[in-house]
Amino acid sequence: MNLQQLIEVLPEYKIINKDIDSEITSVEIDSREIIAGSLFICIEGYTVDGHDYVETAVKNGAVAIISEKKLSIQDVPIILVPDTKRALPLLANNFYAHPSQRFRLIGVTGTNGKTSVSHYINEILRKTGQKTGLIGTIEMKINETSYPVKNTTPDALFLQKSFNKMNDAGAETVTMEVSSHALDLGRVHGSDFDIAVFTNLSQDHLDFHGTMDNYLVAKSLLFSQLGNTYNTNRPKFAIINNDDKNSDFLKRVSAQPILTYGIHTPSTFQAYNIQYGSTGVSFDMQTPEGNISINSHLMGEFSVYNMLAAATCTYACGIPLESIQRALEKMDSVKGRFQPIANTKEIGVIVDYAHTPDSLKNVLKTIKQFCNGKIHVVVGCGGDRDRTKRPLMAQAACELADLAIFTSDNPRSEDPAQILNDMTTDLAYSNFKVIEDRESAIRDAIKNATANDIVLIAGKGHETYQILGNQTIDFDDAKIAAKYLEKY
């Protein structure tokens, strides 16, 4: 694309240096990704400022620079804009010809359940023969091919590149997790959502948002950004958990038709006659087109909510109830989400991503429904994250487990001992111990479990690494658990 055509979408800019007749071969924000003919957009992040890498970008082949700061470089045209972060989605959308307008885009947001709900939606659509895309915490998928991702919701450039790739693969529907950080920072600007799904809201990320009210407002942006107009050829929907206390607020911020789901509150899709067991859950689902029964090997109330959300969403996509029912009954758990570790011993070991007080409570309550022995939980809290939830995590563990072992999660730049101290100071329970090294903590829990006990390893779920200071080491809770199950 010609540079002049590309920057015409910018409402305000000033050209410095040479003419702007260049042909642009790619748009990049990482100087290491530059190829001959690239446009380099300087983004100032928390730790790295793209403006410091302009010379490297030009050396690598950049033919133009988008900047919000004056630069001394003379070799290529500089396009000055007030805010490069806001310019980025405009330019990326223009370069890739607005890819999210060419398929149905579903966004799933909430504190807990985003990953499972997104995967369930994707699987239901896949089982009905659709070509799909998926972007989330664990991976990006285009049909059956998986790709790594760095953030729950990547930056605007990565999204538009990926959407374009999904278009090329014939994707009809793309489902993505949308984090509060991404909404607050504008990473999804330019993404044309057709359906927004809300799972729930509980304490998390207060290190970033400051208050729960700010956190809720950030989540609500997904619903307000569905737009204010109606198109019968491309209808949009807001899908909301009616049992969550914030549901009324989210209904008010969206102009689009609303579908609800719930267990305790009358809803468009509602579960009743729920039977929880050690091998799964069964329930009846009330829908606008009659009732269906679900017999699933997924476990716990949180799984019922996740299946309700996925059913409501895919119904809005036009999927027949019979197809939704069949897909849900064959649904497998997502890696790191209430994932059982197979073994020949008489104890159960479950790995789960539960990293908020609410999600930890939900998982432990589910285990209580079928555990015939004692419950052991291994859990920690991440460093450089919300400190106020640390004692709440410890309290939840001690309240609902027979024995809690507090250990390191991803301490990052913080002292692991200080994180553990934050968890245990003033804790009015004695059924816990502290083992800072995570592998040692997992080993201890498995070694001391006896017949019919359950060991829950919580907090990291699907992650295959641990961040210690400035080092990232290989660490997979599931593999570590399997090793000690074999040993003991």
Side-chain angles (χ1 to χ4, degrees), residues 205-222:
H205 305 306
L206 296 191
D207 56 309
F208 181 84
H209 296 292
T211 68
M212 287 298 294
D213 285 344
N214 290 342
Y215 185 28
L216 175 59
V217 168
K219 291 292 189 189
S220 75
L221 294 174
L222 179 62

Side-chain angles (χ1 to χ4, degrees), residues 57-109:
V58 173
K59 183 179 178 181
N60 290 345
V63 294
I65 308 295
I66 304 289
S67 172
E68 61 185 44
K69 300 178 181 179
K70 290 184 178 181
L71 303 171
S72 59
I73 195 161
Q74 303 290 321
D75 303 321
V76 297
I78 309 293
I79 294 93
L80 277 178
V81 296
D83 186 341
T84 53
K85 290 187 182 73
R86 294 195 72 88
L88 175 62
L90 286 166
L91 294 165
N93 261 273
N94 195 21
F95 185 79
Y96 291 107
H98 306 278
S100 64
Q101 294 179 9
R102 286 175 271 152
F103 50 65
R104 180 189 292 113
L105 181 59
I106 300 168
V108 181
T109 197

Side-chain angles (χ1 to χ4, degrees), residues 243-377:
D243 288 344
D244 190 279
K245 65 181 181 181
N246 300 292
S247 59
D248 286 342
F249 175 78
L250 292 171
K251 291 173 188 176
R252 291 201 305 274
V253 300
S254 178
Q256 301 303 328
I258 291 167
L259 298 176
T260 60
Y261 65 93
I263 296 174
H264 309 293
T265 310
S267 303
T268 317
F269 280 68
Q270 187 171 356
Y272 62 99
N273 294 337
I274 304 172
Q275 300 294 320
Y276 300 106
S278 60
T279 58
V281 62
S282 64
F283 59 96
D284 294 320
M285 186 190 298
Q286 174 186 296
T287 82
E289 295 185 11
N291 299 342
I292 57 174
S293 296
I294 305 293
N295 293 291
S296 170
H297 59 261
L298 301 171
M299 290 188 286
E301 184 178 72
F302 58 86
S303 292
V304 177
Y305 276 111
N306 292 342
M307 285 188 277
L308 284 169
T312 310
C313 180
T314 50
Y315 174 81
C317 295
I319 304 301
L321 287 178
E322 296 79 7
S323 299
I324 294 171
Q325 179 187 35
R326 286 195 300 270
L328 287 177
E329 293 192 331
K330 294 178 181 178
M331 199 70 67
D332 293 320
S333 60
V334 179
K335 178 177 169 57
R337 270 60 177 179
F338 214 79
Q339 176 187 354
I341 306 303
N343 68 88
T344 58
K345 308 298 189 289
E346 294 182 351
I347 65 170
V349 178
I350 296 169
V351 171
D352 193 84
Y353 190 53
H355 63 286
T356 67
D358 189 59
S359 59
L360 185 60
K361 287 178 184 177
N362 288 338
V363 172
L364 288 169
K365 285 178 181 177
T366 296
I367 293 172
K368 274 186 172 292
Q369 292 169 349
F370 62 84
C371 181
N372 295 318
K374 293 183 177 179
I375 300 174
H376 309 247
V377 59

Side-chain angles (χ1 to χ4, degrees), residues 165-177:
K165 194 172 183 178
M166 291 172 179
N167 266 315
D168 290 343
E172 299 163 78
T173 304
V174 174
T175 308
M176 62 179 289
E177 297 179 49

Side-chain angles (χ1 to χ4, degrees), residues 113-129:
K114 293 188 298 296
T115 299
S116 293
V117 171
S118 298
H119 276 76
Y120 296 170
I121 292 169
N122 185 66
E123 283 304 301
I124 293 170
L125 296 172
R126 291 284 296 155
K127 283 178 168 61
T128 60

